[in-house]
Amino acid sequence: MNERHRYDPVAIWLHWLVAVLVLAQFATGWIWGFFERGSEPRFYLFRTHITLGSAILALALARIGWRLTHRAPPLPQGMSRLQRIAAHAGHGLLYLAILAQPALGLLAISAFGKTLGRWPRDLHNLGAKLILAIVMLHVAAVVWHQFIRRDGLLSRMLPSRLAVRT
Ligand code: HEM
Ligand code: HEM
């Protein structure tokens, strides 16, 4: 595959690192509720959620900085105008998600929480559902490109030794 049509290695590693951490956030956020209040696993999952979530915020800032200073490959040929708009809008929402969701999480646990009331928590919980829906659409789009359109889109975001040469 032509190097011009691939993401650069930094963009690729940041993408997968953040993707794995986001999945860990869903796991921890939804599993701690099964444990009793005050129990050790619940506390441990909560601590992990806060640590990994804060790492996502830092990585999101690095990622956006990198994206603004490095060119992304052009979308595959032959996509309609609507498909291009959907792809850009979806990616924009995912960037917004990895900034706004940790920010709401931090507001929810910070001292401000006392004066701000419940809204950061409520928005964070709503945000989790919205992000899950967007990530599912994102993965569905990749599957569509890979198996129906067969334009090798996934390879653009894989390290070159894993990418299928086309
Ligand atoms: C298993 C899950 C995932 C798969 C298979 C996947 C796959 C991909 C692929 C193949 C691209 C490249 C699209 C292109 O070439 O134009 C991409 C881009 C992107 N992905 Fe994912 N992704 C996953 C999860 C996530 C998650 C969890 C997030 C963030 C919450 C995310 C955020 C993004 C963003 C923001 C882009 C656009 C990159 C840019 O153009 O700057 N992805 N993803
Ligand atoms: C992209 C990053 C994050 C994702 C995807 C995420 C996801 C989630 C999910 C799925 C839940 C459970 C929601 C529910 O019960 O319905 C949750 C709850 C929570 N998260 Fe996060 N989270 C992220 C970052 C953070 C950060 C950085 C913090 C704190 C510094 C945080 C603090 C919390 C808190 C306090 C709750 C419990 C809210 C409540 O009491 O209802 N999260 N998060």
Side-chain angles (χ1 to χ4, degrees):
M1 180 174 286
N2 184 334
E3 285 306 308
R4 217 176 70 78
H5 294 287
R6 298 174 44 71
Y7 282 89
D8 64 82
V10 174
I12 292 175
W13 285 105
L14 282 172
H15 172 270
W16 291 111
L17 185 56
V18 171
V20 167
L21 290 176
V22 167
L23 296 183
Q25 289 305 91
F26 284 108
T28 50
W30 277 323
I31 291 173
W32 80 53
F34 291 105
F35 294 95
E36 259 177 66
R37 267 176 202 285
S39 67
E40 213 170 295
R42 187 173 167 124
F43 178 67
Y44 175 76
L45 287 167
F46 186 67
R47 282 272 305 267
T48 307
H49 188 82
I50 290 171
T51 310
L52 298 185
S54 308
I56 291 176
L57 182 57
L59 289 167
L61 290 171
R63 217 183 139 179
I64 290 167
W66 187 264
R67 178 65 159 86
L68 293 176
T69 50
H70 296 77
R71 187 197 54 81
L75 286 175
Q77 294 281 317
M79 283 172 66
S80 71
R81 206 175 116 75
L82 194 66
Q83 285 166 347
R84 288 174 182 273
I85 293 173
H88 289 307
H91 292 164
L93 283 175
L94 286 168
Y95 279 120
L96 179 66
I98 53 178
L99 280 182
Q101 186 70 353
L104 286 169
L106 285 170
L107 281 181
I109 59 157
S110 70
F112 294 120
K114 294 191 183 70
T115 45
L116 285 176
R118 266 205 67 92
W119 69 262
R121 287 171 67 174
D122 292 341
L123 272 185
H124 188 79
N125 292 350
L126 175 66
K129 295 187 184 84
L130 293 177
I131 294 169
L132 186 63
I134 302 169
V135 169
M136 282 164 70
L137 283 174
H138 180 59
V139 175
V142 174
V143 168
W144 176 73
H145 276 278
Q146 197 63 19
F147 297 109
I148 296 175
R149 223 171 165 263
R150 295 176 185 272
D151 55 13
L153 183 98
L154 184 59
S155 292
R156 293 149 55 96
M157 197 45 113
L158 290 177
S160 50
R161 71 198 131 85
L162 294 181
V164 181
R165 308 240 153 229
T166 53

